[in-house]
């Protein structure tokens, strides 16, 4: 039985902790805040309740597997999950609207044909077919296996772009999300649909590789799920599973240093005041870091040929990773029957929007996502409705999100855009609460309040995350800052990978 110290109580860290405890190890989680869940926060006021992080679950099989492997009660007995149908409603700048059914490729094709004109659905369906090829080519090395030493093979884009012949010129291949939209999807509304997926994950459509096609493919193939009580209920279920497996949690325990001994990670040092007894140094046989660990060690964790933090190899620059601007709305009047859970109101100028976000400015007219859950636990009674409006924005730093005037002005811009999804929004408004990247940074410790994107193949490996094992023996990385990157499902995958590496060692070849 090994002693394992886990830094942070995010979803990836707790997923690893539960699996390691089941394998017979003594696991203790040290969390600097007062609670668990990482980005899966919850805000409550006057009987209204809101998720302050991810609000929908994709690839639920990741957490089903976690619960199967760590106990008798399956996930569905621990939380109440329902498929969101329609999966999403989209409002385009020209006023066109379309609602896309959940996990039905044929239904999506038919809906797009009906709303955008004959042929639109077929083009999208053919695109999803190519996206499936990208998924099949990259799924295991990108999501289910430890990052390979020869990670450069993932620098090649797995998307089979359509070769387009041109008179007196060489054939043209779409290499980015924006180019796929312009060259293969043709209709600007279909292009906006694809770009919206990339932007929602904090990816710049102008330079994100076409392999990002696997993002809409995953959602439209495996579906979108909502957890009654919000994603915080999922975090609570994972926490309870950890407790059932005798994982110990120490809250208000900030790790200030990873202890090294004989060239390996040998424990953690805690800030004064942590409730761990007389000593602030806790010995461990393995350390699992659910936060970026570079500042906690004395030496280099990555070599010249390794994937480094921020994505990419040694020569890759660290991209500007955006955050989320969220407005929580308390509305008078009930949620009408037939209301879509999620509506995306697309920007009038998506290229300009991306140019602003990824150069550290605010977009004047952002793409916004409006969430209107049909969940009695989110509202005081049937005569009210809790609505969440979010947009992808530049992180804290390039933009000063602590500026009260800027916060209010940008909240006004989001509410105005959301009016396309919620009739009479301003007339129904009781109050609103604003959350910016500066708030995310204060709550989670994420630099600039950034939200890490999932790892993607292509672009020379620029969008990969560091491997789960490091050059410091017995130190492992988990969560959005590590392979396979950000996102709720990806966090669970990272937990499975770290547990496999510790339990099976060098023989571990990935999840099955």
């Amino acid at each position: 039985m090994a002693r394992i110290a886990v830094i942070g109580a995010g979803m990836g860290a707790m997923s690893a902790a539960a699996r390691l405890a089941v394998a017979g190890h003594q696991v203790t989680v040290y969390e600097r805040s007062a609670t668990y869940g990482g980005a899966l926060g919850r805000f409550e006021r006057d009987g209204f309740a809101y998720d302050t992080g991810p609000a929908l679950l994709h690839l639920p099989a990741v957490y089903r597997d976690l619960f199967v492997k760590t106990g008798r009660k399956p996930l569905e007995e621990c939380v109440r999950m329902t498929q969101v149908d329609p999966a999403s409603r989209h409002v385009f700048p020209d006023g066109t609207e379309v609602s896309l059914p959940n996990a039905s490729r044929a239904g999506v094709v038919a809906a797009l044909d009906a709303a955008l004109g004959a042929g639109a659905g077929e083009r999208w369906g053919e695109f999803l077919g190519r996206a499936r090829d990208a998924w099949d080519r990259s799924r295991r090395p990108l999501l289910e296996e430890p990052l390979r030493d020869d990670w450069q093979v993932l620098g090649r884009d797995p998307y089979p772009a359509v070769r387009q012949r041109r008179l007196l010129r060489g054939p043209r291949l779409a290499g980015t999300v924006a180019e796929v939209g312009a060259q293969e999807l043709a209709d600007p509304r279909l292009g906006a649909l694809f770009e919206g997926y990339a932007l929602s994950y904090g990816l710049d459509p102008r330079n994100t590789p076409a392999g990002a096609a696997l993002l809409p493919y995953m959602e439209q193939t495996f579906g979108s799920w909502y957890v009654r009580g919000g994603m915080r209920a999922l975090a609570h279920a994972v926490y309870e599973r950890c407790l059932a497996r005798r994982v110990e949690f120490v809250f208000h325990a900030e790790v200030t240093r990873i202890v090294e001994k004989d060239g390996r990670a040998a424990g953690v040092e805690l800030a004064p005041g942590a409730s761990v007894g007389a000593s602030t140094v806790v010995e461990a046989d393995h350390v699992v870091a659910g936060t970026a660990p570079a500042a906690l060690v004395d030496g280099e964790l990555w070599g010249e040929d390794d994937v480094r933090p921020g994505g990419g190899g040694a020569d890759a620059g660290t991209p500007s990773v955006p955050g989320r601007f969220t407005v929580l709305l308390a509305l008078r009047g009930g949620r009408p029957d037939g209301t879509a859970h999620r509506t995306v109101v697309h920007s009038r100028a998506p290229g300009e929007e991306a140019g602003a976000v990824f150069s550290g400015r605010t977009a004047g007219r952002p793409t916004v996502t409006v969430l209107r859950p049909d969940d009695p636990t989110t509202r005081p009674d049937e005569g009210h409705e809790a609505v969440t409006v979010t947009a992808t924005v530049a992180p804290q730093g390039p933009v000063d999100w602590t500026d009260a005037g800027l916060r209010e002005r940008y909240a006004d811009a989001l509410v105005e855009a959301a009016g396309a999804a919620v009739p009479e929004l301003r007339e129904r408004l009781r109050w609103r609460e604003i959350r910016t990247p500066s708030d995310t940074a204060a709550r989670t410790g994420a630099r600039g309040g950034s939200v890490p994107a999932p790892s993607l193949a292509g672009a020379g490996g620029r969008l990969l995350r560091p491997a789960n094992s490091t050059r410091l023996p017995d130190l492992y990385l988990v969560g959005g800052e590590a392979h396979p990157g950000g996102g709720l499902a990806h966090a669970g995958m990272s937990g499975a990978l770290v547990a496999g590496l510790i339990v099976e060692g060098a023989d571990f070849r990935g999840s099955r």
Side-chain angles (χ1 to χ4, degrees), residues 60-80:
V62 172
Y63 287 93
R64 289 192 180 111
D65 180 72
L66 171 65
F67 277 75
V68 166
K69 300 289 178 58
T70 60
R72 294 182 178 180
K73 292 181 66 175
L75 176 63
E76 282 79 1
E77 289 187 20
C78 299
V79 295
R80 179 178 169 183

Side-chain angles (χ1 to χ4, degrees), residues 341-437:
H341 183 109
R342 175 177 50 166
T343 298
V344 181
V345 182
H346 292 271
S347 168
R348 297 187 183 278
E352 294 179 12
E353 176 187 7
V357 169
F358 291 91
S359 63
R361 296 179 287 114
T362 57
R365 176 78 177 190
T367 294
V368 302
T369 298
V370 182
L371 301 173
R372 307 176 69 183
D374 185 12
D375 183 351
T377 69
T378 65
R379 52 188 182 257
D381 53 52
E382 294 303 312
H384 293 85
E385 183 181 5
V387 174
T388 302
V389 183
T390 63
T392 298
V393 297
Q396 171 69 20
V399 175
D400 181 10
W401 291 115
T402 64
D403 183 322
L406 176 60
R407 291 164 63 102
E408 293 295 333
R409 291 193 300 273
Y410 210 65
D412 288 341
L414 264 64
V415 170
E416 179 183 358
V422 186
E424 300 178 342
L425 174 55
R426 290 192 177 277
E427 291 78 7
R428 297 176 57 194
L429 183 62
R430 283 185 53 183
W431 51 259
R432 72 185 188 188
E433 184 78 18
I434 300 171
R435 291 286 185 271
T436 76

